[in-house]
PDB file of all heavy atoms in Angstrom:
ATOM      1  N   THR P   1      12.740  20.074  46.251  1.00 92.00           N
ATOM      2  CA  THR P   1      13.711  19.385  47.126  1.00 92.00           C
ATOM      3  C   THR P   1      13.299  17.953  47.431  1.00 92.00           C
ATOM      4  O   THR P   1      13.959  17.271  48.183  1.00 92.00           O
ATOM      5  CB  THR P   1      14.024  20.108  48.402  1.00 92.00           C
ATOM      6  OG1 THR P   1      12.788  20.352  49.109  1.00 92.00           O
ATOM      7  CG2 THR P   1      14.628  21.478  48.097  1.00 92.00           C
ATOM      8  N   SER P   2      12.089  17.520  46.864  1.00 92.00           N
ATOM      9  CA  SER P   2      11.612  16.198  47.176  1.00 92.00           C
ATOM     10  C   SER P   2      12.126  15.170  46.226  1.00 92.00           C
ATOM     11  O   SER P   2      12.835  15.540  45.247  1.00 92.00           O
ATOM     12  CB  SER P   2      10.075  16.236  47.190  1.00 92.00           C
ATOM     13  OG  SER P   2       9.585  16.248  45.860  1.00 92.00           O
ATOM     14  N   GLY P   3      11.789  13.903  46.431  1.00 92.00           N
ATOM     15  CA  GLY P   3      12.202  12.876  45.500  1.00 92.00           C
ATOM     16  C   GLY P   3      11.141  12.513  44.424  1.00 92.00           C
ATOM     17  O   GLY P   3      11.266  11.548  43.683  1.00 92.00           O
ATOM     18  N   LEU P   4      10.066  13.389  44.424  1.00 95.00           N
ATOM     19  CA  LEU P   4       8.964  13.146  43.474  1.00 95.00           C
ATOM     20  C   LEU P   4       8.665  14.384  42.600  1.00 95.00           C
ATOM     21  O   LEU P   4       8.957  15.499  43.106  1.00 95.00           O
ATOM     22  CB  LEU P   4       7.712  12.688  44.211  1.00 95.00           C
ATOM     23  CG  LEU P   4       7.777  11.369  45.047  1.00 95.00           C
ATOM     24  CD1 LEU P   4       6.601  11.209  45.889  1.00 95.00           C
ATOM     25  CD2 LEU P   4       7.966  10.227  44.048  1.00 95.00           C
ATOM     26  N   PRO P   5       8.038  14.236  41.485  1.00 96.00           N
ATOM     27  CA  PRO P   5       7.615  15.453  40.726  1.00 96.00           C
ATOM     28  C   PRO P   5       6.519  16.177  41.529  1.00 96.00           C
ATOM     29  O   PRO P   5       5.779  15.578  42.236  1.00 96.00           O
ATOM     30  CB  PRO P   5       7.112  14.873  39.444  1.00 96.00           C
ATOM     31  CG  PRO P   5       7.608  13.423  39.382  1.00 96.00           C
ATOM     32  CD  PRO P   5       7.814  13.019  40.723  1.00 96.00           C
ATOM     33  N   GLU P   6       6.505  17.526  41.310  1.00 96.00           N
ATOM     34  CA  GLU P   6       5.459  18.302  41.929  1.00 96.00           C
ATOM     35  C   GLU P   6       4.565  18.933  40.907  1.00 96.00           C
ATOM     36  O   GLU P   6       5.124  19.458  39.913  1.00 96.00           O
ATOM     37  CB  GLU P   6       6.049  19.440  42.810  1.00 96.00           C
ATOM     38  CG  GLU P   6       6.712  18.919  44.109  1.00 96.00           C
ATOM     39  CD  GLU P   6       7.053  20.066  45.059  1.00 96.00           C
ATOM     40  OE1 GLU P   6       7.682  21.048  44.623  1.00 96.00           O
ATOM     41  OE2 GLU P   6       6.758  19.882  46.286  1.00 96.00           O
ATOM     42  N   ARG P   7       3.264  18.844  41.079  1.00 97.00           N
ATOM     43  CA  ARG P   7       2.317  19.410  40.138  1.00 97.00           C
ATOM     44  C   ARG P   7       2.094  20.846  40.511  1.00 97.00           C
ATOM     45  O   ARG P   7       1.613  21.123  41.630  1.00 97.00           O
ATOM     46  CB  ARG P   7       1.035  18.632  40.132  1.00 97.00           C
ATOM     47  CG  ARG P   7       1.103  17.203  39.672  1.00 97.00           C
ATOM     48  CD  ARG P   7      -0.163  16.412  39.805  1.00 97.00           C
ATOM     49  NE  ARG P   7      -0.420  16.105  41.253  1.00 97.00           N
ATOM     50  CZ  ARG P   7      -1.302  16.699  41.970  1.00 97.00           C
ATOM     51  NH1 ARG P   7      -2.187  17.576  41.379  1.00 97.00           N
ATOM     52  NH2 ARG P   7      -1.553  16.369  43.278  1.00 97.00           N
ATOM     53  N   LEU P   8       2.330  21.744  39.540  1.00 97.00           N
ATOM     54  CA  LEU P   8       2.149  23.227  39.776  1.00 97.00           C
ATOM     55  C   LEU P   8       0.900  23.716  39.033  1.00 97.00           C
ATOM     56  O   LEU P   8       0.765  23.438  37.880  1.00 97.00           O
ATOM     57  CB  LEU P   8       3.385  23.927  39.374  1.00 97.00           C
ATOM     58  CG  LEU P   8       4.764  23.408  39.834  1.00 97.00           C
ATOM     59  CD1 LEU P   8       5.919  24.278  39.361  1.00 97.00           C
ATOM     60  CD2 LEU P   8       4.796  23.322  41.328  1.00 97.00           C
ATOM     61  N   GLY P   9       0.196  24.600  39.733  1.00 97.00           N
ATOM     62  CA  GLY P   9      -0.874  25.316  39.113  1.00 97.00           C
ATOM     63  C   GLY P   9      -0.435  26.661  38.570  1.00 97.00           C
ATOM     64  O   GLY P   9       0.790  26.922  38.330  1.00 97.00           O
ATOM     65  N   LEU P  10      -1.379  27.571  38.323  1.00 97.00           N
ATOM     66  CA  LEU P  10      -1.114  28.840  37.694  1.00 97.00           C
ATOM     67  C   LEU P  10      -0.628  29.899  38.794  1.00 97.00           C
ATOM     68  O   LEU P  10      -1.335  30.010  39.791  1.00 97.00           O
ATOM     69  CB  LEU P  10      -2.353  29.424  36.998  1.00 97.00           C
ATOM     70  CG  LEU P  10      -2.809  28.635  35.731  1.00 97.00           C
ATOM     71  CD1 LEU P  10      -4.083  29.299  35.206  1.00 97.00           C
ATOM     72  CD2 LEU P  10      -1.770  28.594  34.652  1.00 97.00           C
ATOM     73  N   ALA P  11       0.464  30.527  38.520  1.00 97.00           N
ATOM     74  CA  ALA P  11       0.920  31.576  39.412  1.00 97.00           C
ATOM     75  C   ALA P  11      -0.037  32.766  39.136  1.00 97.00           C
ATOM     76  O   ALA P  11      -0.262  33.181  37.974  1.00 97.00           O
ATOM     77  CB  ALA P  11       2.307  32.039  39.031  1.00 97.00           C
ATOM     78  N   THR P  12      -0.596  33.318  40.207  1.00 97.00           N
ATOM     79  CA  THR P  12      -1.608  34.344  40.045  1.00 97.00           C
ATOM     80  C   THR P  12      -1.428  35.491  41.117  1.00 97.00           C
ATOM     81  O   THR P  12      -1.091  35.151  42.250  1.00 97.00           O
ATOM     82  CB  THR P  12      -3.059  33.807  40.270  1.00 97.00           C
ATOM     83  OG1 THR P  12      -3.147  32.645  39.347  1.00 97.00           O
ATOM     84  CG2 THR P  12      -4.175  34.803  39.980  1.00 97.00           C
ATOM     85  N   LEU P  13      -1.774  36.671  40.783  1.00 97.00           N
ATOM     86  CA  LEU P  13      -1.772  37.800  41.777  1.00 97.00           C
ATOM     87  C   LEU P  13      -3.273  37.934  42.264  1.00 97.00           C
ATOM     88  O   LEU P  13      -4.217  37.941  41.470  1.00 97.00           O
ATOM     89  CB  LEU P  13      -1.408  39.112  41.086  1.00 97.00           C
ATOM     90  CG  LEU P  13       0.043  39.236  40.517  1.00 97.00           C
ATOM     91  CD1 LEU P  13       0.223  40.441  39.732  1.00 97.00           C
ATOM     92  CD2 LEU P  13       1.007  39.212  41.739  1.00 97.00           C
ATOM     93  N   VAL P  14      -3.404  37.920  43.565  1.00 93.00           N
ATOM     94  CA  VAL P  14      -4.656  37.942  44.148  1.00 93.00           C
ATOM     95  C   VAL P  14      -4.715  38.985  45.286  1.00 93.00           C
ATOM     96  O   VAL P  14      -3.708  39.265  45.974  1.00 93.00           O
ATOM     97  CB  VAL P  14      -5.082  36.584  44.776  1.00 93.00           C
ATOM     98  CG1 VAL P  14      -5.144  35.518  43.686  1.00 93.00           C
ATOM     99  CG2 VAL P  14      -4.161  36.173  45.851  1.00 93.00           C
ATOM    100  N   THR P  15      -5.848  39.636  45.462  1.00 89.00           N
ATOM    101  CA  THR P  15      -6.209  40.611  46.477  1.00 89.00           C
ATOM    102  C   THR P  15      -5.304  41.836  46.447  1.00 89.00           C
ATOM    103  O   THR P  15      -4.246  41.822  45.848  1.00 89.00           O
ATOM    104  CB  THR P  15      -6.109  40.033  47.929  1.00 89.00           C
ATOM    105  OG1 THR P  15      -4.769  39.795  48.330  1.00 89.00           O
ATOM    106  CG2 THR P  15      -6.852  38.611  48.025  1.00 89.00           C
ATOM    107  N   GLY P  16      -5.803  42.913  47.085  1.00 91.00           N
ATOM    108  CA  GLY P  16      -5.019  44.113  47.235  1.00 91.00           C
ATOM    109  C   GLY P  16      -4.863  44.869  45.896  1.00 91.00           C
ATOM    110  O   GLY P  16      -5.781  44.882  45.084  1.00 91.00           O
ATOM    111  N   ASN P  17      -3.696  45.499  45.762  1.00 93.00           N
ATOM    112  CA  ASN P  17      -3.455  46.442  44.646  1.00 93.00           C
ATOM    113  C   ASN P  17      -2.804  45.688  43.473  1.00 93.00           C
ATOM    114  O   ASN P  17      -1.692  45.903  43.087  1.00 93.00           O
ATOM    115  CB  ASN P  17      -2.498  47.607  45.115  1.00 93.00           C
ATOM    116  CG  ASN P  17      -2.972  48.199  46.390  1.00 93.00           C
ATOM    117  OD1 ASN P  17      -2.259  48.086  47.423  1.00 93.00           O
ATOM    118  ND2 ASN P  17      -4.111  48.774  46.441  1.00 93.00           N
ATOM    119  N   THR P  18      -3.591  44.720  42.930  1.00 94.00           N
ATOM    120  CA  THR P  18      -2.957  43.821  41.898  1.00 94.00           C
ATOM    121  C   THR P  18      -2.540  44.587  40.641  1.00 94.00           C
ATOM    122  O   THR P  18      -1.590  44.037  39.981  1.00 94.00           O
ATOM    123  CB  THR P  18      -4.065  42.758  41.513  1.00 94.00           C
ATOM    124  OG1 THR P  18      -5.274  43.408  41.113  1.00 94.00           O
ATOM    125  CG2 THR P  18      -4.407  41.878  42.714  1.00 94.00           C
ATOM    126  N   THR P  19      -3.135  45.717  40.332  1.00 95.00           N
ATOM    127  CA  THR P  19      -2.746  46.394  39.106  1.00 95.00           C
ATOM    128  C   THR P  19      -1.345  47.062  39.245  1.00 95.00           C
ATOM    129  O   THR P  19      -0.725  47.458  38.162  1.00 95.00           O
ATOM    130  CB  THR P  19      -3.761  47.512  38.702  1.00 95.00           C
ATOM    131  OG1 THR P  19      -3.856  48.488  39.791  1.00 95.00           O
ATOM    132  CG2 THR P  19      -5.136  46.906  38.456  1.00 95.00           C
ATOM    133  N   ASP P  20      -0.775  47.128  40.405  1.00 96.00           N
ATOM    134  CA  ASP P  20       0.495  47.717  40.580  1.00 96.00           C
ATOM    135  C   ASP P  20       1.631  46.740  40.365  1.00 96.00           C
ATOM    136  O   ASP P  20       2.809  47.040  40.343  1.00 96.00           O
ATOM    137  CB  ASP P  20       0.724  48.286  41.971  1.00 96.00           C
ATOM    138  CG  ASP P  20      -0.221  49.486  42.213  1.00 96.00           C
ATOM    139  OD1 ASP P  20      -1.411  49.417  42.070  1.00 96.00           O
ATOM    140  OD2 ASP P  20       0.329  50.608  42.451  1.00 96.00           O
ATOM    141  N   PHE P  21       1.315  45.413  40.249  1.00 97.00           N
ATOM    142  CA  PHE P  21       2.253  44.359  40.113  1.00 97.00           C
ATOM    143  C   PHE P  21       1.982  43.581  38.801  1.00 97.00           C
ATOM    144  O   PHE P  21       0.834  43.580  38.289  1.00 97.00           O
ATOM    145  CB  PHE P  21       2.129  43.408  41.361  1.00 97.00           C
ATOM    146  CG  PHE P  21       2.400  44.084  42.578  1.00 97.00           C
ATOM    147  CD1 PHE P  21       1.393  44.619  43.301  1.00 97.00           C
ATOM    148  CD2 PHE P  21       3.730  44.102  43.113  1.00 97.00           C
ATOM    149  CE1 PHE P  21       1.602  45.303  44.578  1.00 97.00           C
ATOM    150  CE2 PHE P  21       3.990  44.736  44.356  1.00 97.00           C
ATOM    151  CZ  PHE P  21       2.907  45.322  45.044  1.00 97.00           C
ATOM    152  N   ARG P  22       3.010  42.958  38.243  1.00 96.00           N
ATOM    153  CA  ARG P  22       2.816  42.189  37.004  1.00 96.00           C
ATOM    154  C   ARG P  22       3.716  40.994  37.042  1.00 96.00           C
ATOM    155  O   ARG P  22       4.728  40.941  37.678  1.00 96.00           O
ATOM    156  CB  ARG P  22       3.009  43.045  35.822  1.00 96.00           C
ATOM    157  CG  ARG P  22       4.454  43.553  35.713  1.00 96.00           C
ATOM    158  CD  ARG P  22       4.616  44.591  34.606  1.00 96.00           C
ATOM    159  NE  ARG P  22       3.963  45.865  34.908  1.00 96.00           N
ATOM    160  CZ  ARG P  22       4.056  46.896  34.147  1.00 96.00           C
ATOM    161  NH1 ARG P  22       4.676  46.857  33.034  1.00 96.00           N
ATOM    162  NH2 ARG P  22       3.406  48.073  34.526  1.00 96.00           N
ATOM    163  N   LEU P  23       3.351  39.995  36.243  1.00 96.00           N
ATOM    164  CA  LEU P  23       4.120  38.704  36.227  1.00 96.00           C
ATOM    165  C   LEU P  23       4.651  38.591  34.832  1.00 96.00           C
ATOM    166  O   LEU P  23       4.099  38.967  33.786  1.00 96.00           O
ATOM    167  CB  LEU P  23       3.236  37.503  36.521  1.00 96.00           C
ATOM    168  CG  LEU P  23       2.460  37.427  37.860  1.00 96.00           C
ATOM    169  CD1 LEU P  23       1.682  36.139  38.031  1.00 96.00           C
ATOM    170  CD2 LEU P  23       3.521  37.630  38.990  1.00 96.00           C
ATOM    171  N   ALA P  24       5.884  38.017  34.763  1.00 94.00           N
ATOM    172  CA  ALA P  24       6.498  37.771  33.475  1.00 94.00           C
ATOM    173  C   ALA P  24       7.529  36.595  33.629  1.00 94.00           C
ATOM    174  O   ALA P  24       7.839  36.239  34.744  1.00 94.00           O
ATOM    175  CB  ALA P  24       7.242  38.993  32.888  1.00 94.00           C
ATOM    176  N   GLY P  25       7.925  35.946  32.517  1.00 92.00           N
ATOM    177  CA  GLY P  25       8.995  34.963  32.596  1.00 92.00           C
ATOM    178  C   GLY P  25       8.545  33.793  33.494  1.00 92.00           C
ATOM    179  O   GLY P  25       9.428  33.189  34.142  1.00 92.00           O
ATOM    180  N   ASP P  26       7.296  33.397  33.454  1.00 96.00           N
ATOM    181  CA  ASP P  26       6.788  32.361  34.356  1.00 96.00           C
ATOM    182  C   ASP P  26       7.147  30.967  33.733  1.00 96.00           C
ATOM    183  O   ASP P  26       6.612  30.583  32.688  1.00 96.00           O
ATOM    184  CB  ASP P  26       5.324  32.573  34.419  1.00 96.00           C
ATOM    185  CG  ASP P  26       4.652  31.507  35.296  1.00 96.00           C
ATOM    186  OD1 ASP P  26       5.362  30.618  35.837  1.00 96.00           O
ATOM    187  OD2 ASP P  26       3.424  31.529  35.464  1.00 96.00           O
ATOM    188  N   THR P  27       8.078  30.309  34.359  1.00 96.00           N
ATOM    189  CA  THR P  27       8.393  28.927  33.897  1.00 96.00           C
ATOM    190  C   THR P  27       7.853  27.898  34.844  1.00 96.00           C
ATOM    191  O   THR P  27       8.195  26.673  34.776  1.00 96.00           O
ATOM    192  CB  THR P  27       9.898  28.804  33.813  1.00 96.00           C
ATOM    193  OG1 THR P  27      10.477  28.854  35.158  1.00 96.00           O
ATOM    194  CG2 THR P  27      10.506  29.786  32.866  1.00 96.00           C
ATOM    195  N   CYS P  28       6.965  28.277  35.756  1.00 97.00           N
ATOM    196  CA  CYS P  28       6.401  27.417  36.819  1.00 97.00           C
ATOM    197  C   CYS P  28       5.032  26.889  36.489  1.00 97.00           C
ATOM    198  O   CYS P  28       4.649  25.700  36.761  1.00 97.00           O
ATOM    199  CB  CYS P  28       6.484  28.032  38.152  1.00 97.00           C
ATOM    200  SG  CYS P  28       8.098  28.325  38.832  1.00 97.00           S
ATOM    201  N   SER P  29       4.132  27.793  36.005  1.00 97.00           N
ATOM    202  CA  SER P  29       2.673  27.536  35.897  1.00 97.00           C
ATOM    203  C   SER P  29       2.405  26.336  35.056  1.00 97.00           C
ATOM    204  O   SER P  29       2.939  26.057  34.005  1.00 97.00           O
ATOM    205  CB  SER P  29       1.999  28.752  35.393  1.00 97.00           C
ATOM    206  OG  SER P  29       1.972  29.790  36.307  1.00 97.00           O
ATOM    207  N   ALA P  30       1.451  25.522  35.621  1.00 96.00           N
ATOM    208  CA  ALA P  30       0.779  24.454  34.819  1.00 96.00           C
ATOM    209  C   ALA P  30       1.825  23.447  34.257  1.00 96.00           C
ATOM    210  O   ALA P  30       1.805  23.126  33.049  1.00 96.00           O
ATOM    211  CB  ALA P  30      -0.067  24.948  33.721  1.00 96.00           C
TER     212      ALA P  30
END
């Protein structure tokens, strides 16, 4: 929503029960 580009890093699952969740269709990372 800003007037400038935003630099995005890698979307990552951290802490807890990470094996129960998964990522797909990521158009944001890097």
